């Protein structure tokens, strides 16, 4: 199949996103993947909201509550069936426990923030052989959903909300990088040109008359990436109703906790509800590095302050996704880079870095109301792993789980990487080293 340049721009003018044609212009994106005895995939979710709690919250004060002489009374430990829950910290989230599955047998590879954060988002050791070229999980999702995009899919496949500097597309084309958005109640201020649509269209046409080489791909990846950014931006400007997706009311802002993180989850909700092509949304909330004053109500980022912000936003998100009939199609994942020390507090009144951690899943076809894994009375040693692999749940297993839920073969090995090694979506998954947490379903 071939397209003349004039034919392409006539079609693009109808509002079809430029990346809709990626498989025509970049056949290596289709030919670059091979699989080894493809596994059975769940394929129960259409999209994923990936909530990253940067800094590493205390799992034994939250998701795997442990009670001792150190436990403040106002954590208000409460029983929901067999689950002990910090009602004083997470009451709104607690109301949705029947929708949540909590994995308590997680173990990080590294207790260093930057290393662990990157590892959790690229599903491999950043210092390993393919770490430097590895794309974010969301970039892989965007790539894998490319072939199914339709003319209505005008939004980028991967959008990151208030997430700062995170891993991007690695060696993949830049069209799969996270489209970073700083949320604002009025939406995206750059969707309209100050000189008006008519003048902008004339400038756009002139650009393509003067800069044919950039659009042709003959100048290499950097120029092609720039062209993709231009085209993607133009489509967003031309598509109706886009700003509504990124906007929110004062009432919504208040319902989600009157916080920047809450605003992120409002827009995340809007993105999955819009059906306009975004398949992976990341929202990041920092401030969880509680080396000191974790229970100090007067501390600016105490556990109470952090949990109040998280609880209002996460509780509202789960409420809205449920009422909008979106939760079954949307996998919500809450993770961090590692956990925090267990038992009594440190001399500074805090908790330090610790490999043992927990993660939370909801929606996307998962059953909910499940606890996977059991730790001892302090939250230190594993008593039961709680899943078929009978070992710690690693970052790579969480990646396999997300991919499987979205219908992506997590054993894929691409043969288009610049190192010529073969790029595995999840290293060693094809050999059975890592796998989805099937017990979630």
């Amino acid at each position: 199949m071939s397209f003349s340049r004039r034919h392409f721009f006539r079609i693009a003018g109808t509002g079809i996103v430029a990346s809709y044609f990626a498989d025509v212009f970049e056949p290596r994106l289709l030919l670059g993947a091979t699989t080894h005895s493809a596994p059975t995939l769940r394929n129960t979710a259409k999209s994923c909201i990936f909530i990253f709690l940067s800094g590493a919250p205390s799992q034994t004060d939250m998701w795997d509550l442990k009670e001792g002489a150190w436990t403040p009374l106002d954590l208000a430990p409460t029983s929901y069936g067999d689950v002990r829950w910090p009602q004083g910290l997470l009451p709104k989230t607690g109301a949705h426990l029947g929708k949540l599955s909590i994995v308590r047998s997680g173990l990080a590879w590294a207790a260093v923030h930057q290393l662990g954060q990157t590892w959790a988002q690229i599903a491999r050791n950043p210092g390993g052989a393919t770490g430097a070229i590895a794309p974010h999980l969301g970039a892989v999702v965007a790539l894998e959903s490319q072939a199914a995009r339709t003319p209505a899919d005008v939004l980028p496949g991967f959008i990151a909300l208030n997430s700062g500097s995170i891993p991007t597309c690695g060696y993949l084309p830049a069209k799969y990088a996270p489209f970073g958005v700083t949320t604002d109640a009025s939406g995206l201020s750059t969707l309209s040109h100050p000189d008006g649509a008519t003048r902008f269209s004339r400038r756009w046409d002139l650009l393509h008359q003067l800069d044919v080489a950039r659009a042709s791909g003959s100048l290499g990846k950097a120029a092609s990436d720039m062209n993709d950014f231009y085209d993607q931006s133009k489509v967003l400007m031309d598509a109706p109703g886009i700003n509504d997706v990124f906007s929110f009311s004062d009432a919504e802002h208040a319902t989600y906790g009157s916080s920047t993180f809450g605003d992120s989850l409002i827009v995340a909700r809007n993105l999955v509800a819009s059906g306009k092509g975004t398949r992976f949304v990341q929202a990041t909330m920092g401030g969880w590095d509680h080396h000191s004053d974790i229970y100090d109500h007067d501390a600016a980022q105490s556990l109470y302050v952090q949990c109040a912000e998280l609880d209002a936003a996460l509780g509202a998100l789960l409420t809205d996704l449920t009422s909008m009939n979106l939760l079954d199609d949307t996998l919500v994942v809450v993770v961090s880079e590692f956990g925090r020390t267990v038992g009594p507090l440190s001399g500074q009144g805090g908790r330090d870095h610790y490999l043992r951690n927990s993660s939370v899943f909801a929606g996307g076809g998962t059953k909910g109301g499940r606890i996977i894994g059991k730790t001892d009375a302090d939250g230190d040693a594993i008593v039961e792993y709680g899943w078929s692999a009978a070992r710690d749940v690693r970052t790579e297993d969480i990646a396999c789980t997300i991919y499987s839920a979205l219908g992506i073969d997590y054993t894929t090995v691409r043969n288009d990487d610049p190192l010529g090694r073969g790029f595995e979506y999840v290293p060693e998954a094809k050999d059975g080293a890592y796998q989805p947490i099937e017990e979630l379903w």
Side-chain angles (χ1 to χ4, degrees):
M1 184 177 185
S2 62
F3 289 91
S4 70
R5 180 172 173 273
R6 178 176 298 175
H7 186 203
F8 170 72
F9 282 108
R10 184 167 66 247
I11 295 174
T14 68
I16 295 179
V17 67
S19 59
Y20 181 69
F21 296 97
D23 298 330
V24 176
F25 294 137
E26 297 186 73
R28 71 183 184 86
L29 295 181
L30 289 181
L31 300 177
T34 60
T35 58
H36 300 257
S37 61
T40 300
L41 304 174
R42 289 291 177 170
N43 197 21
T44 53
K46 295 179 181 178
S47 56
C48 176
I49 297 177
F50 185 78
I51 298 172
F52 197 86
L53 303 183
S54 176
S58 169
Q59 73 283 1
T60 55
D61 289 303
M62 295 169 59
W63 317 120
D64 187 12
L65 180 63
K66 302 299 179 182
E67 300 167 59
W70 60 83
T71 306
L73 291 177
D74 56 9
L75 260 62
T78 302
S79 293
Y80 285 81
D82 295 333
V83 178
R84 293 291 282 170
W85 186 255
Q87 190 70 8
L89 293 177
L90 300 167
K92 295 178 180 178
T93 304
H96 295 283
L97 271 178
K99 305 180 184 77
L100 305 181
S101 287
I102 301 173
V103 177
R104 293 176 169 173
S105 48
L107 192 70
W109 288 108
V112 178
H113 287 297
Q114 185 173 359
L115 180 62
Q117 289 165 7
T118 302
W119 203 317
Q121 294 172 85
I122 66 174
R124 72 198 65 230
N125 184 348
T130 59
I133 64 166
H136 191 292
L137 302 178
V140 173
V141 173
L143 168 67
E144 286 287 332
S145 63
Q146 175 65 43
R149 286 177 73 91
T150 71
D153 292 329
V154 295
L155 288 172
F158 175 20
I159 292 182
L161 304 167
N162 298 320
S163 290
S165 178
I166 62 173
T168 59
C169 60
Y171 79 95
L172 298 177
K175 63 167 64 74
Y176 304 115
F179 180 77
V181 174
T182 300
T183 56
D184 186 272
S186 60
L188 299 179
S189 61
T190 55
L191 284 178
S192 60
H193 194 276
D195 292 339
T198 300
R199 181 156 177 74
F200 178 76
S201 292
R202 289 201 299 266
R203 291 178 177 179
W204 177 262
D205 291 341
L206 179 60
L207 171 67
H208 285 83
Q209 292 170 20
L210 297 175
D211 201 2
V212 176
R214 173 181 52 77
S216 71
S218 62
L219 299 180
K221 183 178 185 298
S224 294
D225 285 345
M226 181 182 294
N227 188 67
D228 289 338
F229 281 129
Y230 284 174
D231 286 345
Q232 188 176 70
S233 298
K234 180 65 161 60
V235 168
L236 290 178
M237 294 175 69
D238 291 345
I242 291 300
N243 202 54
D244 292 341
V245 178
F246 295 93
S247 305
F248 47 88
S249 67
D250 290 344
E252 289 174 312
H253 176 67
T255 298
Y256 277 71
S258 300
S259 69
T260 300
F261 175 68
D263 296 344
S264 295
L265 294 196
I266 298 171
V267 176
R269 177 205 66 188
N270 293 350
L271 286 165
V272 299
S274 72
K276 295 182 182 294
T278 300
R279 298 291 177 260
F280 194 98
V281 185
Q282 175 159 336
T284 302
M285 178 184 174
W288 295 95
D289 197 16
H290 288 127
H291 288 284
S292 61
D293 303 325
I294 190 170
Y295 299 146
D296 184 353
H297 282 275
D298 295 327
Q301 291 184 322
S302 72
L303 186 65
Y304 297 99
V305 172
Q306 292 294 107
C307 283
E309 184 173 325
L310 171 66
D311 186 52
L314 181 57
L317 175 69
L318 294 170
T319 295
D320 282 354
L321 291 179
T322 301
S323 66
M324 297 167 72
N325 295 317
L326 292 171
L327 188 60
D328 286 346
D329 292 331
T330 306
L331 181 68
V332 179
V333 183
V334 184
V335 297
S336 59
E337 62 264 41
F338 44 77
R340 306 206 79 82
T341 49
V342 304
L345 302 187
S346 69
Q348 288 73 44
R351 299 189 183 281
D352 297 324
H353 299 180
Y354 206 61
L355 296 178
R356 181 65 58 200
N357 61 16
S358 298
S359 53
V360 181
F361 297 81
T366 61
K367 294 296 185 184
R370 299 185 176 184
I371 302 296
I372 296 174
K374 180 180 179 180
T375 56
D376 63 11
D378 288 338
D380 185 10
I382 288 291
V383 176
E384 297 174 6
Y385 290 108
W387 69 309
S388 58
R391 58 168 174 76
D392 297 309
V393 173
R394 297 288 192 171
T395 289
E396 291 85 349
D397 299 307
I398 292 175
C400 290
T401 302
I402 294 171
Y403 287 151
S404 179
L406 294 170
I408 297 171
D409 184 354
Y410 55 89
T411 69
T412 293
V413 182
R414 301 189 65 81
N415 56 28
D416 58 352
D417 66 284
L419 303 179
R421 301 177 59 94
F423 183 82
E424 299 176 79
Y425 281 174
V426 180
E428 301 181 66
K430 71 181 189 305
D431 305 314
Y434 303 105
Q435 64 190 61
I437 308 168
E438 298 291 350
E439 286 72 14
L440 293 171
W441 286 272

